[in-house]
Amino acid sequence: MLQCERQNFHHSKLPPPGAIGRIVGLSTVHSRRQCIVIAYPLCDSADYRYSIGIHTMFVRFLDNGEIARFSGIWFEALQ
């Protein structure tokens, strides 16, 4: 059996809070909509025993104020 510490299973780099960017690669979100990172969940699973690392974030879209949760791999920061 493998012995290791819990870590970010998805190996995605989460942007810092306040980062402005867009969600790319998802057909449900238009890639031109800009958003800002507002928070990270305390746990990725409703049952904390199954959480294997935080890899999601909450963003607020700048066009209508909608708040949504996405995996960090879909976020692209604006330069």
Side-chain angles (χ1 to χ4, degrees):
M1 181 176 212
L2 294 175
Q3 300 289 328
C4 63
E5 294 179 26
R6 287 189 176 198
Q7 51 187 299
N8 187 342
F9 178 76
H10 296 271
H11 304 293
S12 59
K13 300 277 187 195
L14 290 173
I20 297 177
R22 56 193 179 160
I23 304 298
V24 294
L26 290 176
S27 61
T28 57
V29 179
H30 196 284
S31 63
R32 291 189 182 175
R33 291 181 72 190
Q34 292 186 4
C35 58
I36 185 169
V37 177
I38 58 171
Y40 306 104
L42 293 177
C43 186
D44 276 340
S45 172
D47 186 345
Y48 68 90
R49 295 174 298 164
Y50 299 110
S51 182
I52 52 177
I54 302 300
H55 70 280
T56 59
M57 62 192 173
F58 287 101
V59 299
R60 185 178 68 237
F61 287 98
L62 301 178
D63 56 357
N64 65 356
E66 173 191 1
I67 295 176
R69 183 174 166 180
F70 295 101
S71 174
I73 63 173
W74 302 116
F75 185 83
E76 179 182 88
L78 297 177
Q79 303 327 357

